[in-house]
């Protein structure tokens, strides 16, 4: 049984990274069925990709379980 792959809800990018899945769950909804790549999530939230990357690092530093 292989690992589950996730696809961006907006652009269709296949095989989203662990960080893309984690940040979608953290900022949208832990139980969401729709995942976003960083670029599409940034556009949806009206922030920059760099801001999302910075938040990911913050959450990792805090020990957030979604980024382990």
């Amino acid at each position: 049984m292989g690992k589950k792959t996730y696809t961006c809800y907006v652009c269709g990018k296949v095989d989203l990274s662990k960080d893309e899945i984690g940040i979608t769950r953290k900022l949208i909804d832990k139980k969401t069925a729709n995942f976003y790549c960083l670029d599409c999530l940034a556009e949806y939230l009206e922030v920059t990709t760099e801001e999302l990357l910075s938040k990911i690092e913050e959450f990792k530093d805090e020990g957030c379980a979604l980024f382990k």
Side-chain angles (χ1 to χ4, degrees), residues 40-56:
C40 291
L41 184 60
E43 188 173 325
Y44 176 74
L45 297 174
E46 298 180 351
V47 298
T48 66
T49 303
E50 291 73 25
E51 288 172 308
L52 287 180
L53 290 169
S54 176
K55 290 307 280 182
I56 289 169

Side-chain angles (χ1 to χ4, degrees), residues 16 19-30 32 34-37 41 67:
L16 297 179
D19 287 346
E20 288 171 317
I21 295 162
I23 196 70
T24 299
R25 286 189 167 142
K26 183 79 171 175
L27 299 180
I28 302 296
D29 183 354
K30 200 177 271 190
T32 188
N34 299 324
F35 294 90
Y36 296 82
C37 68
L41 184 60
F67 298 95

Side-chain angles (χ1 to χ4, degrees), residues 7-19:
T7 303
C8 179
Y9 175 68
V10 178
C11 74
K13 175 185 172 188
V14 179
D15 202 18
L16 297 179
S17 73
K18 186 172 71 168
D19 287 346

